[in-house]
Structures are given as structure tokens and as C-alpha cells.
Amino acid sequence: MKTSTKILMCLAGIALVVLGVLCIIYPGSTLVSLTWAFGLMLIISGCSTFGAWATLRAINPFSGLTFLAALLQVFLGVAIIVMPAPLVVALPFIFAFWVFYEGLNLTLDSFNYKKLGFRRWWVLCLLGVLAMCGGCYCFFCDPSISATTIAWLVGLGIIADGIGNWVKVAAVNRVEKKLNKLADRFHQVIDIEDVEEVK
């Protein structure tokens, strides 16, 4: 790998770690950024749906519905980017509901594991109940905890990605050193064989 590429990867890693820390420090801005990203994703999805509609409208009997779906996606995406506040307010509640739902699923699954003879089924049940309690608390008592948790998860994920860049560079350096050692040994063996042939 070129040295310039390694330097760029290290700089990208630093930038990602800084961005992750900022996400954790400023959870409100993180939620707004997530909302904009979601709006942009809807716009891109709508544009690709428009492309599919334009390509297949001659053979698709439901091309009108495809066009309508694309139009709604783009409209909703633009609305979210222009007015992100409603979704920013809704995100913590969506997250809290998701945590509650996953906890409920885990609790119900634990009883299936009990029927299958899994001894530690109660651990899954306990974790599921705790997740349900956490979801209820974030939903009804303190939605700001959900907002902070989302920001922390995003921030930690970005930090992990940045650290991953540094690890990749370190791994490439180690592999390159090993390959150079093998190449040196190979050249030494070739040189010895050439000397013996001359003798």
C-alpha cells in the first residue's frame, strides 16, 4: 500500500474519531444530522424509483403506483430536510418503542428456549424484561435518555470506524514487513544457489 494512502487512512481515522466524539457531546445536533440523512436517503430512494418507473412503465401495469410511490418518497424526503423538527422529536420515541419491542421479542423467545431445554433461558427472559422496562421508561418518563442513547450509539459507531482505519494501517504495515522478510530470504537463497552453480 502506498504511503500516501496510509496517511489518508490515518487522517480519515482521526476525523472519524473527532466526529464521533462531537456526536456524543452534542446529541441534539446528532439527531438533526440523522434526520437530514434519513431525508436524503428518501430522496435518493425516490429518484431511483423514478428511474425504475421510467424504464418499466411500458410493461408495468402498476406504473402509476410506482410513480406515486417515487413522488411520495421525494416529497417526504424534502419535507424532512426542510422541517426536521417533527422527526427529531419523534426519533427518541421511535427508539424507545424499538427497544421495548425487541425486549418483548426476547422475553417471548426465552420461553421457547425453555421448552427446548436451554438451562439459561431465564437470562434471556431477564434481559428482555429489562429492555422492556428501559423502553417504557424512555417512552413515558424521560425521552431525552433515548435521544442521548441514539447520539452515543452513533458516536461510538463512528469512533469504532475511525479506530478501524488505524488498525487496518497497522495490519498492512505488519503484513508488508513479513512479505519484505520473505522476499529477503528468497533472494538470499537464490544468491547462494547461484554461487554454488558457479563453483
Side-chain angles (χ1 to χ4, degrees), residues 91-131:
L91 272 178
F93 293 101
I94 293 168
F95 180 74
F97 178 77
W98 175 74
V99 170
F100 176 84
Y101 179 77
E102 288 298 319
L104 179 63
N105 272 345
L106 192 58
T107 304
L108 295 174
D109 283 345
S110 69
F111 292 107
N112 291 331
Y113 281 103
K114 182 183 179 183
K115 288 177 184 176
L116 293 171
F118 182 58
R119 288 183 179 180
R120 305 266 190 248
W121 67 272
W122 58 271
V123 175
L124 296 176
C125 185
L126 181 63
L127 290 172
V129 170
L130 287 174

Side-chain angles (χ1 to χ4, degrees), residues 23-47:
C23 286
I24 291 170
I25 294 172
Y26 302 108
S29 300
T30 302
L31 288 181
V32 172
S33 300
L34 284 174
T35 303
W36 284 340
F38 182 66
L40 187 61
M41 184 183 69
L42 279 175
I43 291 171
I44 292 169
S45 175
C47 289

Side-chain angles (χ1 to χ4, degrees), residues 34-176:
L34 284 174
T35 303
W36 284 340
F38 182 66
L40 187 61
M41 184 183 69
L42 279 175
I43 291 171
I44 292 169
S45 175
C47 289
S48 67
T49 307
F50 269 128
W53 168 78
T55 306
L56 303 173
R57 64 182 173 181
I59 58 172
N60 184 3
F62 302 105
S63 62
L65 291 175
T66 305
F67 179 81
L68 183 61
L71 194 64
L72 286 173
Q73 283 178 332
V74 171
F75 176 75
L76 187 58
V78 170
I80 287 171
I81 289 174
V82 173
M83 298 179 297
L87 189 57
V88 169
V89 172
L91 272 178
F93 293 101
I94 293 168
F95 180 74
F97 178 77
W98 175 74
V99 170
F100 176 84
Y101 179 77
E102 288 298 319
L104 179 63
N105 272 345
L106 192 58
T107 304
L108 295 174
D109 283 345
S110 69
F111 292 107
N112 291 331
Y113 281 103
K114 182 183 179 183
K115 288 177 184 176
L116 293 171
F118 182 58
R119 288 183 179 180
R120 305 266 190 248
W121 67 272
W122 58 271
V123 175
L124 296 176
C125 185
L126 181 63
L127 290 172
V129 170
L130 287 174
M132 287 167 63
C133 292
C136 285
Y137 181 78
C138 291
F139 195 86
F140 295 109
C141 300
D142 196 356
S144 65
I145 291 177
S146 292
T148 306
T149 304
I150 293 169
W152 270 81
L153 289 173
V154 170
L156 290 173
I158 293 171
I159 289 170
D161 194 26
I163 293 171
N165 275 5
W166 300 337
V167 172
K168 286 176 191 174
V169 170
V172 167
N173 284 338
R174 186 171 288 183
V175 169
E176 284 177 348

